[in-house]
Amino acid sequence: MSFSRALKIAPSILSADFANFGSEIEAVEAQGADWVHVDVMDGHFVPNLTFGPQLCKAIRKHITTVMDVHLMISPVDAYIDAYADAGADVLTAHVEAGPHIHRTLQAIRGAGCKAGLALNPGTPVEAAAPLLDMVDLICVMSVNPGFGGQKFIHSQVETVRRLRAMIGDRPVHIEVDGGVTPETAPLMQAAGADVLVAGSAVFKGGSVADPAPYGHNIRAIRTACDVLV
């Protein structure tokens, strides 16, 4: 997984057909996805319950790109090895997910994964400052975590802009998760984001039997960003 600031679209399987994850992943990759984003929720840290390590392990063999696992769980440290063993390339934890985020990031790297740090809309961007040399990715939540399909929080554009200035020339990805559409994606890319997580904006209108809309939706996001550039 080499570093590049080129735009990457990471469809979230939270919006896929739960009965056909393997086929959905293969379809969306064939239609141009760069990464596959897996939203793990525990019903405690966030008000929803989703995917355990066994599900991640089961879908790993269908992913040929990057398996980007977003841990919206607390406590998080006890589960790092399980998700690493399931095949995650990137493991992202929230600042508030445990008492010692520095230790959490060390554990993620120690397990052989790229380390991601997630910032909620209410998390000060300054919280990332002491951790910039500990991370490979910072995920800026542009909705409150827990559910797909929420409305984009525009104040997070400035968060991305400030974060990009803080990162400087460090090889750290800026990911945006929540409310990404052809309308909001160019704003985030212009501010400095290079990984865009999109759920319903990618999967709407398509299916395993008719995956062409996935490609159309992905291209619409890319084209919108290219036009702004």
Side-chain angles (χ1 to χ4, degrees), residues 4-209:
S4 168
R5 293 203 187 281
L7 182 67
K8 292 164 283 293
I9 308 297
S12 167
I13 64 167
L14 191 63
S15 296
D17 178 357
F18 279 29
N20 288 290
F21 274 139
S23 297
E24 286 275 60
I25 288 165
E26 291 170 7
V28 80
E29 284 193 337
Q31 291 293 326
D34 299 292
W35 292 11
V36 173
H37 189 82
V38 184
D39 287 306
V40 175
M41 308 180 190
D42 64 359
H44 166 69
F45 184 69
V46 295
N48 200 355
L49 187 64
T50 59
F51 314 125
Q54 288 303 111
L55 184 281
C56 291
K57 186 175 182 178
I59 65 174
R60 172 72 257 194
K61 61 180 175 289
H62 298 279
I63 298 173
T64 62
T65 56
V66 171
M67 187 176 183
D68 177 31
V69 179
H70 180 186
L71 299 175
M72 288 172 269
I73 64 177
S74 177
V76 67
D77 290 7
Y79 298 95
I80 288 170
D81 285 344
Y83 283 97
D85 291 344
D89 294 300
V90 182
L91 276 179
T92 296
H94 283 251
V95 171
E96 300 86 357
H100 307 295
I101 187 61
H102 188 283
R103 182 181 295 162
T104 298
L105 296 170
Q106 282 183 317
I108 291 172
R109 282 187 167 177
C113 298
K114 298 292 186 183
L117 176 71
L119 304 179
N120 287 329
T123 306
V125 70
E126 290 79 12
L131 304 166
L132 293 177
D133 293 318
M134 292 291 303
V135 299
D136 303 287
L137 175 148
I138 298 179
C139 176
V140 175
M141 296 300 299
S142 42
V143 298
N144 287 297
F147 292 96
Q150 295 185 70
K151 188 176 179 181
F152 182 82
I153 299 174
H154 277 269
S155 62
Q156 293 303 84
V157 175
E158 180 60 22
T159 297
V160 170
R161 187 173 293 112
R162 293 172 61 194
L163 190 58
R164 183 68 192 87
M166 290 168 56
I167 288 171
D169 61 0
R170 294 176 178 87
V172 177
H173 296 290
I174 298 179
E175 179 176 78
V176 173
D177 186 355
V180 172
T181 66
E183 291 70 41
T184 60
L187 304 176
M188 286 304 201
Q189 186 197 31
D194 62 276
V195 183
L196 303 178
V197 176
S200 54
V202 166
F203 284 98
K204 66 180 181 183
S207 66
V208 169

